[in-house]
Amino acid sequence: MVRTWNRLDYTFKVMVITALTIYAVILCRDIVIPLAFAVFLSLVLLPVVKWIERRTGTMAAVTIVVVGGTVLFGFLGWLLVNQIIGLVNDLPNLQERADKFVNDVKGLMWSELNIGRSELNQMVQDFLKGASVYLGAFLLTTGNTLATMVQIPIYMFLLLIYREKFRLFFASLMPNSDDELAWKKDIENVTQAYITGLMLVTLIVAILNTVGLLILGIEHAIFFGILSGILTVIPYVGIFIGALLPTLMALITKDSAWYAVGVIGVFFFVQFLEGNFITPRITGSKVSINALAAIVALLLGGKILGIAGMILAVPAIGVMKIMLAYSHRLRPFVILLGDVDKEE
């Protein structure tokens, strides 16, 4: 009875600390978002830093990796912005095609569904108004996030320079044991493998979707392919959002609806490969998260940090599951987070 009470008391304290932490994150979201991305990117680049560090000093290795990583991600960002500029420049032409598509749909609904003209016009206006509101919010959030991107390389540099201090700090918080070094190394290795694998999966999905859209001749295929790869980080929802935009583009710009069917087919096929072959082989099953935990994490992340929170939610809960697996008192929570059928 005493042991059970102690466990409940410990769990209650952890929940209170978690609630206070979430509240602090909401208050300091402008600081937390770039810092969180810097932590994950630092974990990805840490093996490269260690490899260069053996040939030079710590300062030189970190400088080389951070500058190189910034240039690489800057190039990817420039490529994405270039695609966005091309899409924006093409908007007048797309709007004309979109108006024609909407008029065709209206005519079909008038003739086939017997919906009144005034009612149908109101439906279209409500849809366009809602879409513009969500698009505006998305662009505003993206703009605010891009405005803080300059902080990420600075945080990465400092995190990699002082990584030993952080390791000793977190190690001192955990109870000592004979195999202390082994499980700490295991946490570091699994976390690095998971974050690196997740970014590799994102890159592969982006390339596959881009190639598929280019084969179909969809306009702005590179932009839609990169966007779909990024949205893959958001489970279950990201794939539908990523497929929706190129599908609409195919309906607007192509004479046949079969192009839109082809786009859906490409995304379905890539999603099948990602879920059954790519992700299991790259990230493995040690940090597999069940659908309920992923959706709850997705909603909470979006509520707390917006779009950035939705992107960070699943990697964060994957890392949290790794940490919980090495805590005797909190290990039962792993059962709630993990996909039991896939656990090794």
Side-chain angles (χ1 to χ4, degrees), residues 71-116:
V71 171
L72 176 61
F73 286 107
F75 171 75
L76 295 176
W78 172 82
L79 181 63
L80 184 60
V81 169
N82 239 9
Q83 294 296 314
I84 294 175
I85 292 174
L87 180 61
V88 171
N89 291 335
D90 200 25
L91 281 180
N93 185 33
L94 292 177
Q95 183 177 2
E96 182 180 347
R97 298 181 185 179
D99 291 339
K100 180 179 181 303
F101 174 74
V102 170
N103 290 331
D104 291 341
V105 173
K106 282 183 180 180
L108 179 64
M109 296 180 72
W110 284 331
S111 60
E112 299 296 333
L113 302 180
N114 295 321
I115 298 178

Side-chain angles (χ1 to χ4, degrees), residues 49 85 88 120-121 142 182 184 188 195 200 224 231 234 237 246 248 259 275 303-304:
V49 171
I85 292 174
V88 171
L120 185 58
N121 287 331
T142 304
K184 287 175 183 175
E188 180 180 334
I195 300 299
L200 183 58
F224 292 126
L231 291 173
I234 305 176
V237 178
L248 291 176
Y259 285 95
K303 190 71 173 178
I304 295 171

Side-chain angles (χ1 to χ4, degrees), residues 265-309:
V266 167
F267 276 79
F268 178 80
F269 179 68
V270 173
Q271 176 66 15
F272 173 79
L273 292 179
E274 183 269 328
N276 294 277
F277 298 99
I278 300 174
T279 296
R281 289 184 178 274
I282 293 178
T283 63
S285 60
K286 289 185 178 181
V287 289
S288 58
I289 305 298
N290 64 59
L292 177 61
I295 292 174
V296 171
L298 179 68
L299 295 176
L300 289 177
K303 190 71 173 178
I304 295 171
L305 295 177
I307 295 176

Side-chain angles (χ1 to χ4, degrees), residues 234-250:
I234 305 176
Y236 310 108
V237 178
I239 182 64
F240 293 106
I241 300 175
L244 177 62
L245 295 178
T247 301
L248 291 176
M249 179 64 72

